[in-house]
Amino acid sequence: MKFRKSTAVVLGSVLLTGGLLAGCSDNAKDANTGNDSNGAATNTQQNTETDAAAAPKVNAFGWTVPEKTITIDYYSADKENPDKAAKKLVAIHDYILENFNVDVKKTSYDVDGKEKLNLMLASSDYPGVMSSIDSESLDKWRSQGKLIDLAPLVDKYGPNIKKELGAKYSSYLDKDGKLWGVPRGWGYLPIPDFSAHIRWDWYQAMGSPKIETPDDYYNVLKQMVADHPKNAQGEKTYAISWNDQVGINNVMGIWGLKDGYKEDASHNLTHWLNTSEGLEAVKYYNRFYREGLMDPDSFLNKFDDWKLKFSNERILGHIGPWWQSWNAGHEVWKTTMQGWTDEQRYVQIGLKAPEAEAAYLSPKDTTGWNYTVITDKEEHPEDIIKFLDFEMTPIGTRLLGWGIPNLPESVWNYEEGGKWSFNEEHKKELFAGTLDFEKEDELTGWNQIWLAHPQGLMSDDNKSTAWYDQNFNMEDKWKALMNTNLKDTIYDNTARRVVFSVDNPLTIVNQQIEDLIKTGFAKAVMSKSEQEAVNAFNDMKDKAEKLGLKDIEAFRTKEYQNNLAKMQ
């Protein structure tokens, strides 16, 4: 803040001097009214100095820097380690404060976001801004009068919000034209999210046997464990493992289910519990467990513990987000493993059950992941909207997506006037697999402040995206391989978006079923025999039916069919 303090002192001196000059000028004019030309010149100089002092400062990114610091104190409902999150925020926080005079304070917890939001609501202890708020939570907070309508503020202070969302903007308004949240991660980015993974160098050493079906994958991993039963420290290895971020609906996609549901020709939806495909998936994963090939902590692992198992070469395969095995595998090994080679990594591969039309692993909801909301505790909501409006612009998305520019560690360069370029050296490191993502997070803060920007392609060039490493997919050997392997697993799931509003009696039913599945799926997969797994599956199914699963299916089907009709 030294810069701002000294600036304020200089500005104060200018204003004080201007005031004294004005006083002298007036006195001189009164004393010598005959010197009109000299007096006029003095007044012109005074006005020029005053105008210069009063003119707002616009920074290199086009942001009008406010005289008074804007404070954005927000809670992120994304589950993450608070210490790590705070460490990664420091650099971008300081940069935004220095160059924008905006003080962004972020709070996060390593707990379930919905549960934390419920506690905040019950205790009335919550901040003025909250992000990563899902549709159901948003509706709950709205119904209790805790959120403010953003539509009037967007009308007045958010031209770029409207411009970037375009025709989609009206879809975020309720029936009364009110806007309760600004979307996060909206837009369509046709890249994979989920996949099967395999330890590449060991797979190559096996002769790269064919992997197309779940059984192929199982057999290869079983042999790989036989070839590498223990790591260098003598610890047992496993074919697959999950962590507490496992997406059950996604791991069902291999059997042709879309986001956990089967669809018929008339667009009727059936939950995986009521399908033969769902049972086959449970039996398949149970097979790993029964034969000692699944990490017994798969449903207990915190991500950091799971990552340690990966980096210690204890996990040979994975079914989940593509980036997880990168982050836990070669991105660690390249700095810790002596003699590391580029082949020592995990590669993403496509799997499809023989009877499935396709493997639907990566649903894309162009509406966005969730929302940033402003609560009734925010004293200056207009300031928040102004910053969200900047973040929505392509240059705002680049800054907050790619992080601080023009540093030795920066992945991009920026010049006043809008000219930008990627740092070629870091781009080479990305392709070589030696770019230190953890270091980039800390030193440049990419995507550490994600309040409103899109995940889809930016409007000014229709090719840049907020994910730095996704800007060169087909230039990067390993990304190109991943995208080729998984090109048929990505699908637009926007029409299936369903909001369980607080006044919908099925909202509680849906949550009860989701809670049942979290524990029931784990119990079925970790059964000691296939018959026990089948029994656990049927028990889970019966309990879900009693809770109202058929009603959930009917509601989702109706909403889905209505959404499809609107899109035609």
Side-chain angles (χ1 to χ4, degrees):
M1 292 299 291
K2 273 187 175 181
F3 169 78
R4 299 213 172 276
K5 184 175 180 182
S6 61
T7 302
V9 171
V10 172
L11 182 58
S13 300
V14 170
L15 291 173
L16 179 60
T17 304
L20 292 173
L21 286 174
C24 293
S25 175
D26 289 342
N27 291 337
K29 186 174 181 180
D30 289 340
N32 186 7
T33 55
N35 196 359
D36 290 337
S37 60
N38 188 45
T42 304
N43 286 336
T44 299
Q45 180 182 2
Q46 169 203 337
N47 292 337
T48 300
E49 291 176 353
T50 302
D51 290 344
K57 176 186 175 183
V58 178
N59 70 12
F61 298 94
W63 167 263
T64 301
V65 181
E67 291 186 9
K68 184 177 179 181
T69 302
I70 291 174
T71 299
I72 303 178
D73 191 350
Y74 79 98
Y75 162 65
S76 168
D78 282 333
K79 183 179 180 180
E80 56 183 330
N81 182 295
D83 294 329
K84 283 191 173 184
K87 190 175 181 181
K88 292 177 180 180
L89 183 67
V90 172
I92 191 67
H93 164 275
D94 293 349
Y95 185 86
I96 295 297
L97 181 59
E98 181 67 24
N99 292 279
F100 288 71
N101 202 16
V102 177
D103 185 5
V104 183
K105 301 174 181 179
K106 175 183 175 182
T107 301
S108 56
Y109 301 99
D110 194 11
V111 298
D112 182 82
K114 277 192 174 183
E115 292 178 7
K116 184 64 179 178
L117 286 169
N118 288 335
L119 290 172
M120 286 180 167
L121 188 58
S123 65
S124 196
D125 182 13
Y126 54 87
V129 181
M130 302 191 300
S131 76
S132 306
I133 309 301
D134 70 327
S135 299
E136 285 75 28
S137 297
L138 181 149
D139 191 67
K140 181 184 293 186
W141 284 70
R142 174 205 59 78
S143 69
Q144 296 199 28
K146 303 301 184 182
L147 305 183
I148 66 171
D149 173 21
L150 306 181
L153 293 168
V154 170
D155 287 343
K156 190 171 183 179
Y157 303 109
N160 291 302
I161 294 175
K162 285 190 170 183
K163 176 184 176 183
E164 294 301 321
L165 292 176
K168 187 182 285 290
Y169 175 74
S170 61
S171 69
Y172 297 101
L173 305 177
D174 69 9
K175 59 183 176 58
D176 298 317
K178 294 183 177 181
L179 179 69
W180 300 107
V182 175
R184 294 177 69 250
W186 53 273
Y188 186 72
L189 186 61
I191 63 170
D193 296 319
F194 291 82
S195 77
H197 311 231
I198 197 163
R199 174 71 187 256
W200 188 247
D201 53 331
W202 291 353
Y203 175 59
Q204 297 293 101
M206 295 171 64
S208 306
K210 180 188 71 174
I211 300 180
E212 294 179 352
T213 69
D215 282 345
D216 292 339
Y217 187 56
Y218 173 86
N219 291 329
V220 169
L221 285 177
K222 183 176 181 178
Q223 183 59 50
M224 191 178 289
V225 169
D227 294 341
H228 305 274
K230 294 183 179 181
N231 67 1
Q233 290 75 42
E235 297 172 301
K236 178 175 171 55
T237 61
Y238 297 101
I240 62 171
S241 176
W242 283 315
N243 54 65
D244 56 0
Q245 299 177 22
V246 59
I248 297 174
N249 284 351
N250 296 102
V251 301
M252 294 287 169
I254 293 170
W255 286 264
L257 302 175
K258 288 185 175 181
D259 202 20
Y261 280 81
K262 185 175 183 177
E263 179 180 354
D264 67 16
S266 300
H267 305 302
N268 296 302
L269 301 179
T270 303
H271 191 277
W272 63 264
L273 274 173
N274 285 323
T275 68
S276 59
E277 290 87 351
L279 177 58
E280 285 305 310
V282 167
K283 289 164 63 177
Y284 175 74
Y285 294 122
N286 171 249
R287 186 181 178 190
F288 281 96
Y289 179 76
R290 284 188 290 108
E291 299 198 18
L293 298 173
M294 175 181 282
D295 173 13
D297 297 324
S298 289
F299 295 96
L300 301 174
N301 289 318
K302 294 288 187 181
F303 183 78
D304 287 345
D305 297 327
W306 180 86
K307 178 177 178 177
L308 184 62
K309 290 180 180 179
F310 249 81
S311 60
N312 283 340
E313 301 182 273
R314 297 190 63 193
I315 312 299
L316 312 186
H318 178 45
I319 297 176
W322 70 264
W323 60 267
Q324 287 189 345
S325 68
W326 285 42
N327 180 261
H330 74 266
E331 288 173 11
V332 175
W333 296 338
K334 70 179 185 292
T335 59
T336 61
M337 184 182 288
Q338 187 173 4
W340 175 78
T341 67
D342 199 32
E343 301 288 311
Q344 290 175 299
R345 62 171 58 241
Y346 293 85
V347 165
Q348 292 64 45
I349 57 176
L351 297 180
K352 185 183 77 67
E355 301 79 13
E357 176 186 55
Y360 296 109
L361 293 174
S362 298
K364 301 289 183 176
D365 182 354
T366 62
T367 305
W369 310 319
N370 42 49
Y371 300 90
T372 290
V373 301
I374 301 179
T375 75
D376 56 351
K377 292 193 176 183
E378 176 55 51
E379 296 181 359
H380 303 287
E382 67 281 358
D383 289 338
I384 310 301
I385 291 297
K386 289 176 183 178
F387 189 75
L388 298 186
D389 186 70
F390 166 75
E391 186 176 0
M392 279 282 203
T393 65
I395 197 59
T397 298
R398 289 187 175 95
L399 174 60
L400 295 170
W402 303 342
I404 302 168
N406 306 328
L407 299 176
E409 302 83 10
S410 299
V411 296
W412 71 302
N413 306 304
Y414 181 74
E415 299 177 22
E416 189 164 2
K419 185 178 180 180
W420 63 271
S421 62
F422 288 117
N423 183 305
E424 289 300 319
E425 289 303 311
H426 290 315
K427 186 176 173 182
K428 291 176 183 177
E429 291 177 0
L430 176 68
F431 293 167
T434 58
L435 183 65
D436 192 333
F437 283 72
E438 292 290 331
K439 182 179 178 182
E440 287 294 333
D441 279 347
E442 291 183 16
L443 297 181
T444 67
W446 54 8
N447 281 325
Q448 295 307 307
I449 301 173
W450 194 322
L451 287 165
H453 65 258
Q455 68 156 326
L457 303 179
M458 296 186 209
S459 61
D460 62 345
D461 65 3
N462 202 37
K463 62 180 180 180
S464 303
T465 180
W467 306 105
Y468 165 72
D469 55 327
Q470 297 300 327
N471 285 288
F472 324 101
N473 276 331
M474 300 314 289
E475 298 177 57
D476 182 300
K477 170 184 175 182
W478 300 108
K479 288 285 180 62
L481 179 60
M482 175 178 69
N483 281 273
T484 300
N485 289 343
L486 300 172
K487 60 181 170 48
D488 296 325
T489 66
I490 306 160
Y491 63 101
D492 190 330
N493 201 46
T494 306
R496 291 202 189 187
R497 183 180 183 86
V498 173
V499 177
F500 284 91
S501 60
V502 69
D503 57 352
N504 184 344
L506 291 177
T507 298
I508 295 177
V509 175
N510 187 64
Q511 187 59 55
Q512 290 173 329
I513 292 173
E514 287 186 2
D515 292 341
L516 168 70
I517 289 173
K518 282 181 182 178
T519 56
F521 180 74
K523 181 180 179 181
V525 168
M526 307 192 89
S527 296
K528 295 180 180 179
S529 70
E530 182 176 287
Q531 187 57 52
E532 284 186 23
V534 173
N535 293 342
F537 176 90
N538 289 331
D539 180 60
M540 175 171 47
K541 174 183 175 180
D542 291 342
K543 288 178 179 177
E545 291 286 2
K546 290 176 181 177
L547 287 170
L549 182 57
K550 286 293 184 184
D551 295 330
I552 296 296
E553 289 176 334
F555 176 68
R556 284 187 176 274
T557 293
K558 181 181 178 182
E559 293 295 300
Y560 176 44
Q561 291 174 350
N562 287 341
N563 290 339
L564 286 175
K566 292 176 184 176
M567 293 179 176
Q568 291 178 352

